[in-house]
Amino acid sequence: MQFQPLKVKKSASIRIQTGPLSAYKSAYISAYMSAHNTLQGLLRRRASGSLSSLFRARAAISVSLIVFLLLPCIGPGAETNPTDAKSSDSNRTSTIEDSPISPSASDDSPQDSPQEAPELSSETGEEEQNDPPSVEGSPREGETSDYSDFDLSEFDKPYHLGGFFRQGIQGLKPFYPLDKKYTDLTSESRLRLKAEYSDGPLQAEISGNGDFVFTNHPQSPAFAPLHASSVRNRLLSMETIQNHGDYLVRGDIHRLNAAYKGTDFHITFGRQAISWGEGRLLNPMDLITPVGPLIQDLEDVPGADAINTSYFFNSYDSIQLVIAPYTRSDERDLGRLRSQDATSILRYKGTFGNLDMVFLGGRQHRSYVWGTELNLTIWDAGFRFAYLGRQEDEKFHKDYLAQEDTHQFVLGASYAFWGELRTNLEFFYNSRPYGEDPYIPEQQQKELEVASKQSDPSLNDESFFRTRGRILTRNPYLVQASVGYNLTELITGDLFAIWDPEGGSVLYGPQFSFNASNEIIIVAGARLYSLGSHPEEAEFQGAPPQAFVYMRWHF
């Protein structure tokens, strides 16, 4: 059962108390000058053509280091009063509950308590002009507060502007014989601007990304697939990539949609994210904009150009139809869209007590799909079962796996011990793994090359429609587990693992999140692999281990 969270729009005047900045000034200046000198050397060496891989690594770290050091100085916490007696670590963040909103902020608030008579001055006999009572810590008129506050006029505006800036560093070790001596270091800077409009049932959204990516090893076989790939075959591309060797510049429209959301009927046109299923790691029901276990930031989930309609029978039961037309890279004429390339799925969701049920069916990526999902909440635990069947269209998919139907299911359970320790365990089964058949790995490699513009698509764009939007595994069984714990009120630790019993390999991903303020979050994590005693049969054979850290600042 899902509930829509209350969206609170904060004004641009929010200030976060972070403590005196002077204690860190010397360290900031020293580190900044070191990074600045490295970049100056980068520009000189680039002009002379003597840019070594080691120096590129130092430059990649320096680009990120400068932004990491400057961002707290220009962020919301920069205007802290060093002499304020309340600048302790316990006051570094503020929540909605901590916001000192005066009782007189709203004209509609009831005046239940009687007003006291004004006191008279003993000398003049005139009424003393005492300030009205207020909540402790709230500013008087003409003063400002060092705590987060909200401008209530923001709720009256039909539009909202915002976005975020994210700076990250990623290290990766490719599993290629000629590249074992290299460690790829990549600095990625992303600026996202977002505008939203909401007036009654009418809503609209647009957001775009601007990226700058710098690497120390542009010849790495992993760089182009990870950082220079485009989202293929959407109805409108609205994406550009300029690759300049050791750095590249990207730009794209992340979301662009308009919606009508009435009491019973919702319809959304345009680029949007559509998430289905309750699976935590491998989720076969997530067919439109799937999220994989390797994603580092959920803000990066690309949208689909689709028509999304829903009719609500009541607060819990609904029926949904999603149509997502696709174009082919070898034919971008929008006037020649083919129904055989479109995804169209009908989905019903109903709630019966503490049981949620989902049924869906339709066509996706030149195959017919049908499935169901059950979510049961009992004994303070959650239990899930999901099943998806798939029949490939024989007119397009003629490989060995396409000769029979594919059946996948997930069985899982979740429980939070003491309300703090979050645990999850899932079992995944695939009736048609590709095993030793080389066709699927070849198509996956072909799709990576086409997406990064290293190769042209094949006839009918087989690599896209055969490998995208579905879970393909080498072995039939996978066991998935995850655990999460709030180490402090601001720091969260998570760990997930996917074990391949047949091949003996394991993918595990530790991750830590630090909420530095209401606007800034810092995340560090890794995606690591163990191939076991039979690497030739391992599910994760050839996957490169990687580590990352990023800071995301919302405004």
Side-chain angles (χ1 to χ4, degrees), residues 119-129:
E119 298 180 1
L120 298 179
S121 173
S122 59
E123 297 181 359
T124 63
E126 299 178 354
E127 295 181 3
E128 290 188 354
Q129 301 297 324

Side-chain angles (χ1 to χ4, degrees), residues 4 61 70 109 111 118 180 257 277 299 328 333 381 387 454:
Q4 294 296 331
I61 297 176
L70 291 182
S109 58
Q111 302 294 334
K180 285 188 176 180
N257 57 74
E299 294 284 356
R328 298 207 303 255
D333 186 2
Y387 161 78
Q454 302 178 72

Side-chain angles (χ1 to χ4, degrees), residues 16-57:
I16 306 300
Q17 185 167 340
T18 59
L21 193 62
S22 57
Y24 308 100
K25 187 176 297 183
S26 299
Y28 277 136
I29 294 176
S30 176
Y32 173 80
M33 291 304 298
S34 176
H36 180 268
N37 292 337
T38 303
L39 287 182
Q40 291 291 337
L42 168 67
L43 297 177
R44 291 193 299 268
R45 297 193 185 195
R46 179 174 176 81
S48 61
S50 60
L51 196 60
S52 65
S53 61
L54 176 61
F55 196 84
R56 288 193 183 99

Side-chain angles (χ1 to χ4, degrees), residues 247 256 283:
Y247 75 93
L256 177 61
N283 182 8

Side-chain angles (χ1 to χ4, degrees), residues 16 18 76-77 92-94 490 514-521 553:
I16 306 300
T18 59
R92 293 186 63 184
T93 61
S94 301
L490 303 177
F514 171 53
N515 292 284
S517 71
N518 285 350
E519 287 80 19
I520 297 178
I521 182 172
W553 171 39

